[in-house]
Amino acid sequence: MKKYKYILLLLFTLLLAPNILLAKTDEKNILALTLKYYNDNNISHHLWVNAKSKIDGKFQQIPNISVSFYITNYADKTNLLGKAVTNEKGEAMIVMPPNAKAEWLKSPNQNFIVVANETKQFDAAKTELAITKAKIKIDTINGKVINVNLIALIDSIWKPISGVEVIIGVKRLGGILNVNETQTYTTDSVFGGVTAEFKLDRIPGDKQGNIILIASLVDNETYGNLTAELKVPWGINLVYVSNFDHRSLFARRGYSPIWLELLAYIIVVVVWVIIFYLLLQIKRIKKLGIE
Amino acid sequence: MEKLAENKIIEDLLPQKFGKKGQMWVISLLAICALGFYAYCRQLYFGLEVTALRDYVSWGIYISNFVFFVAISLVGSLITAVLRLTNVQWSTPLTRIAEIIAVSAIAFAGLIIIVDMGRPDRFYNLFTHGRLQSPIIWDVIVITTYLVISLLLLYFPLLPDLKIMISFKERNGKWLQKFYELIGSFWKNKPEQFKITNKAINILSITIIPVAFAIHTVTSWLFATTYRPGWDSTNFGAYFISGAFLVGSGAVLIAMYIFRTQYKLEQYITEHHFDKMGKVVVLLALIYLYFNINEFLVPAFKMKKSEEEHLMGLFTGEFSSIFWFAISASMFLPIFILIFKKGRRPKWAFIAGILVVVGSWFKRYLIVTPTLLHPFLPMYDVPKNYLHYFPSWEEWSIAGGSLAGVLLVITFFARIFPIIPIHETIIETDSHEKV
């Protein structure tokens, strides 16, 4: 009897083993959030978040994740800046609303927090960001030389910041075009400033020749992302000439090239003159038959 | 050709009434046309929704059929014009067969374009608002011109035959007699009339060649002026024309066999004609094969990303079975059959002709559809039925109806007019005797 007991136990174990080994775990994927702060031309501030997760061994951007942005470290209603949903790139952003001003002015440093709600695939996630308030100033000196200063709020006083890399360029097609061969500049210890010589002599501007100079701090761990812009008349006046009404193969109706019109009409006329001539020959044959 | 008495030639070549087989044939074709018409009425009533045409595949079997018809119509210019101008004597019994194939095919090519339009009532807009730069406008102009020239090329050589037919009043019956008299009673076999007719035929033979080349080149440009994988080719004009001559010649082989066996024309459409046409088809198949190699090998060698999906779809993917069938049926097998003397006998030549025509129809389908299913931008967030194309029963019925329509026109033409030129056959027989 005892022998049978062991056999039954062994069978039971063997039957269960695959179920245990192959059982699908209900563990959810881990959602990683990246939070960034932006100061746009010292006018507005926005926060940006990216949601990604390691699925099948590689990181993938996660869309349709509902996220809530908070000012300070406390994720409660009073500190809520706004809510957003990540797009197909896993990104979402909010512009900091005016009602956050009081909280913003309280301290030279600022904390933010973003919280992602739990979904069927992911557990709830959150991430924090601490920045020191800073801004960039941009100006021109002595003709076509650009002067940029980086200052930060330290002990309630705006002080120049040295040793930080900034980019100086011209705003172009959503990117930044360097004003000369130097890619980045490091701020000095005296005014937290840098100067850059503008060498883009033939750059097209708008109708008045205006271009937008931009100084930018990118993904700085202490200050975040800062930009400052300045409009200057250093470009070439761009007069847009529309070729909408020009004759071309791709133009609209009635604007085909003259050579095409001539060629087409000549061919059509020649062929149809021959056809009409032949139709007349039928008439001639008919006349000959009647005679 | 054996020595044949004039009266016997006339008796042999005069149009014959339909027998039982002929009646069944006509009834079958009329039934297919009726089904096609019903399907078209549904399409008109419900719109293009009844078809499988969607955002991506907006040109399905209608446009494949259009290209096929335009292609097949080119044979008129090959047999009637090219062979006539090069003094090829053996083609005389085949000229009218080629010409009626050309006329019926090009007429239905025009019709199928209207069928493809969601709003045919707006067809006149092509003329009132068309852009001269658009190959579609060129196509409309060239198709109309080619149809008129083909009709004239059919009509002028018919005049002497009409006089012969008018003389058989009792055989013709009342209505046919009236019709013959209406279109040909003025023909009196006068030398001046012959002179004018011969001159007109020569002018037409010269004129039709550039027009024929233009019609199919322009049709190829409908595709080639579009920057898409499979269509973006400078080879397309020559590729289309060589294919067109091949399919047209294949159709002539079929027609030759059917008229020869059904109308007992063995003495007029001889094995010699099959031998010659067989050789023509081999030559044309080799030329078309050459252009196909160019068309596929060069992009496959470079294998640009956008072309890769399209080409792999043809070679090994979704369309591979149709692709290899089309290539084999329209080129390899006909070459293999017709390259041997035995293969150029009527029955084998007929089989080769069928292979060419069927293979060529699928080839046109492959030119149109796979490219439309491989746009440069990914097909994103669209219903599943947008990603594939299989024609609806309405499309099959309409396409089948148009094919039946072409055959019906040829059938009725052969019932009303002599399918082999009587007068020219008599003249040639006389000249043979003199020689």
Side-chain angles (χ1 to χ4, degrees):
Chain A
M1 195 64 193
K2 203 174 182 183
K3 193 177 156 191
Y4 287 118
K5 244 183 191 178
Y6 284 122
I7 292 168
L8 277 171
L9 189 68
L10 183 69
L11 276 172
F12 187 71
T13 315
L14 284 170
L15 282 168
L16 268 183
N19 290 336
I20 294 162
L21 289 170
L22 299 174
K24 227 179 175 182
T25 53
D26 284 338
E27 271 182 28
K28 292 182 176 182
N29 289 311
I30 297 167
L31 190 70
L33 299 174
T34 308
L35 181 60
K36 289 181 181 179
Y37 159 79
Y38 289 83
N39 175 343
D40 308 314
N41 197 21
N42 302 319
I43 295 171
S44 66
H45 311 263
H46 76 261
L47 296 171
W48 172 95
V49 72
N50 172 249
K52 61 186 175 184
S53 180
K54 200 170 189 179
I55 300 171
D56 299 331
K58 58 182 178 182
F59 274 109
Q60 291 180 22
Q61 310 301 333
I62 310 297
N64 301 321
I65 298 290
S66 181
V67 286
S68 304
F69 296 86
Y70 298 92
I71 197 164
T72 74
N73 281 339
Y74 306 105
D76 59 32
K77 270 186 182 179
T78 50
N79 297 330
L80 182 68
L81 292 173
K83 291 181 178 182
V85 177
T86 56
N87 61 16
E88 69 276 8
K89 292 177 188 168
E91 295 172 0
M93 65 153 278
I94 58 150
V95 175
M96 222 188 292
N99 59 13
K101 190 177 178 183
E103 185 60 44
W104 173 260
L105 292 175
K106 277 182 185 172
S107 155
N109 300 318
Q110 190 63 59
N111 292 333
F112 297 102
I113 184 168
V114 66
V115 178
N117 297 334
E118 186 184 355
T119 66
K120 282 181 184 174
Q121 285 177 296
F122 305 100
D123 283 325
K126 70 172 182 178
T127 190
E128 292 175 13
L129 174 72
I131 55 134
T132 300
K133 291 169 192 170
K135 55 186 174 185
I136 295 181
K137 287 180 176 177
I138 184 167
D139 207 350
T140 58
I141 49 170
N142 300 331
K144 289 189 177 180
V145 176
I146 304 154
N147 184 38
V148 171
N149 295 94
L150 175 66
I151 50 174
L153 199 57
I154 298 165
D155 300 331
S156 304
I157 299 164
W158 289 100
K159 290 181 177 173
I161 305 296
S162 63
V164 178
E165 279 196 347
V166 292
I167 298 169
I168 300 174
V170 177
K171 209 175 180 182
R172 190 108 316 206
L173 295 172
I176 296 175
L177 179 70
N178 291 326
V179 289
N180 55 42
E181 55 279 0
T182 311
Q183 300 290 319
T184 55
Y185 301 83
T186 307
T187 53
D188 64 25
S189 55
V190 186
F191 303 108
V194 290
T195 54
E197 195 182 346
F198 184 83
K199 289 184 177 176
L200 302 172
D201 293 334
R202 304 285 304 161
I203 191 165
D206 61 11
K207 274 182 187 175
Q208 283 77 41
N210 290 322
I211 55 168
I212 295 171
L213 298 175
I214 183 164
S216 175
L217 195 67
V218 180
D219 285 345
N220 187 283
E221 283 183 5
T222 315
Y223 310 108
N225 295 275
L226 314 176
T227 58
E229 296 175 9
L230 179 69
K231 193 190 261 188
V232 289
W234 293 353
I236 300 167
N237 296 19
L238 187 75
V239 182
Y240 175 68
V241 182
S242 165
N243 61 3
F244 187 72
D245 288 337
H246 287 190
R247 287 179 177 275
S248 68
L249 279 173
F250 42 83
R252 63 196 167 94
R253 182 176 163 265
Y255 284 83
S256 48
I258 294 288
W259 62 263
L260 178 71
E261 293 207 353
L262 279 173
L263 203 67
Y265 292 135
I266 286 170
I267 291 169
V268 170
V269 167
V270 167
V271 173
W272 279 90
V273 161
I274 292 171
I275 290 170
F276 281 116
Y277 168 75
L278 294 169
L279 291 171
L280 280 176
Q281 297 312 301
I282 294 174
K283 211 178 167 188
R284 259 183 81 195
I285 294 169
K286 210 170 180 178
K287 208 176 164 187
L288 282 166
I290 292 162
E291 280 168 3
Chain B
M1 193 183 289
E2 292 172 24
K3 186 184 174 187
L4 294 166
E6 188 176 319
N7 284 342
K8 187 175 181 325
I9 295 175
I10 295 171
E11 186 58 35
D12 287 347
L13 298 184
L14 275 177
Q16 296 165 29
K17 282 185 180 171
F18 293 132
K20 271 197 175 171
K21 267 189 194 171
Q23 283 172 353
M24 285 303 292
W25 169 250
V26 170
I27 289 168
S28 310
L29 292 178
L30 281 171
I32 298 169
C33 286
L35 181 67
F37 182 72
Y38 170 68
Y40 183 59
C41 290
R42 275 179 56 81
Q43 183 182 305
L44 274 183
Y45 187 78
F46 294 108
L48 283 172
E49 193 194 32
V50 300
T51 69
L53 301 171
R54 294 293 181 264
D55 282 22
Y56 292 103
V57 180
S58 52
W59 288 355
I61 54 168
Y62 292 156
I63 298 299
S64 311
N65 239 10
F66 163 74
V67 179
F68 176 75
F69 285 148
V70 174
I72 219 165
S73 75
L74 244 67
V75 77
S77 67
L78 174 73
I79 305 274
T80 320
V82 176
L83 297 185
R84 185 190 288 268
L85 290 174
T86 48
N87 277 329
V88 174
Q89 298 280 321
W90 60 265
S91 68
T92 308
L94 314 180
T95 50
R96 198 160 288 159
I97 295 174
E99 230 11 90
I100 188 59
I101 290 174
V103 167
S104 53
I106 202 67
F108 274 85
L111 277 179
I112 207 82
I113 281 288
I114 298 170
V115 166
D116 188 60
M117 297 174 77
R119 291 286 304 267
D121 52 305
R122 292 179 179 173
F123 181 66
Y124 73 95
N125 285 350
L126 268 176
F127 300 95
T128 52
H129 300 291
R131 284 171 71 241
L132 192 66
Q133 300 99 308
S134 166
I136 290 174
I137 290 296
W138 307 343
D139 225 16
V140 171
I141 295 167
V142 180
I143 284 175
T144 321
T145 310
Y146 188 69
L147 178 62
V148 174
I149 293 177
S150 295
L151 280 170
L152 287 172
L153 205 46
L154 194 63
Y155 182 62
F156 273 107
L158 198 63
L159 286 169
D161 288 358
L162 284 171
K163 182 174 167 49
I164 296 167
M165 285 188 292
I166 287 169
S167 64
F168 290 87
K169 196 174 178 180
E170 282 180 16
R171 184 187 166 124
N172 295 336
K174 194 181 163 189
W175 293 106
L176 266 183
Q177 183 68 17
K178 271 191 177 178
F179 178 61
Y180 292 149
E181 284 173 4
L182 179 74
I183 60 171
S185 63
F186 52 85
W187 185 265
K188 303 292 181 204
N189 278 349
K190 287 184 177 178
E192 294 94 331
Q193 287 182 317
F194 274 114
K195 200 179 162 188
I196 295 168
T197 307
N198 288 335
K199 192 179 163 190
I201 293 170
N202 280 336
I203 292 172
L204 281 167
S205 299
I206 296 165
T207 314
I208 203 169
I209 294 171
V211 175
F213 270 68
I215 188 174
H216 217 43
T217 308
V218 166
T219 304
S220 80
W221 287 349
L222 293 178
F223 303 95
T225 51
T226 317
Y227 181 47
R228 299 195 69 144
W231 293 352
D232 180 28
S233 162
T234 53
N235 195 23
F236 246 43
Y239 169 59
F240 265 51
I241 286 173
S242 61
F245 280 145
L246 173 64
V247 61
S249 302
V252 168
L253 273 181
I254 298 172
M256 277 164 68
Y257 182 80
I258 291 172
F259 285 126
R260 175 186 150 102
T261 50
Q262 297 304 312
Y263 286 11
K264 309 275 180 267
L265 300 174
E266 286 85 354
Q267 284 174 296
Y268 303 90
I269 303 173
T270 63
E271 292 206 357
H272 175 68
H273 291 106
F274 281 94
D275 185 66
K276 294 284 184 190
M277 269 312 289
K279 285 175 181 170
V280 169
V281 171
V282 170
L283 174 70
L284 292 169
L286 285 169
I287 295 172
Y288 191 46
L289 186 62
Y290 165 76
F291 278 110
N292 269 275
I293 291 168
N294 268 278
E295 197 51 42
F296 294 111
L297 183 70
V298 176
F301 192 85
K302 291 178 277 188
M303 213 49 122
K304 284 185 270 184
K305 197 69 200 164
S306 55
E307 295 273 357
E308 185 184 351
E309 207 178 327
H310 168 67
L311 288 172
M312 294 318 288
L314 291 179
F315 296 160
T316 55
E318 189 184 351
F319 298 100
S320 59
S321 50
I322 306 177
F323 177 76
W324 292 112
F325 167 75
I327 294 285
S328 310
S330 66
M331 283 168 274
F332 287 129
L333 288 174
I335 292 171
F336 183 73
I337 293 170
L338 296 168
I339 207 156
F340 300 106
K341 195 166 174 61
K342 275 188 182 174
R344 293 196 293 274
R345 283 181 186 162
K347 203 170 263 179
W348 281 107
F350 170 65
I351 293 167
I354 288 178
L355 284 170
V356 167
V357 171
V358 175
S360 298
W361 190 90
F362 281 101
K363 190 77 176 55
R364 269 69 196 170
Y365 176 77
L366 291 173
I367 289 171
V368 176
T369 306
T371 289
L372 291 169
L373 283 171
H374 295 110
F376 281 111
L377 293 175
M379 294 191 279
Y380 178 74
D381 199 20
V382 290
K384 271 189 177 174
N385 63 346
Y386 281 34
L387 306 175
H388 301 280
Y389 171 73
F390 189 80
S392 66
W393 76 262
E394 283 91 349
E395 284 174 273
W396 283 118
S397 304
I398 293 168
S402 66
L403 286 165
V406 171
L407 295 175
L408 210 54
V409 169
I410 298 169
T411 307
F412 279 126
F413 181 86
R415 169 65 191 91
I416 298 170
F417 300 108
I419 200 68
I420 293 177
I422 301 175
H423 181 262
E424 280 184 71
T425 309
I426 293 168
I427 298 287
E428 272 194 11
T429 311
D430 284 349
S431 63
H432 275 288
E433 280 174 23
K434 279 173 193 169
V435 170

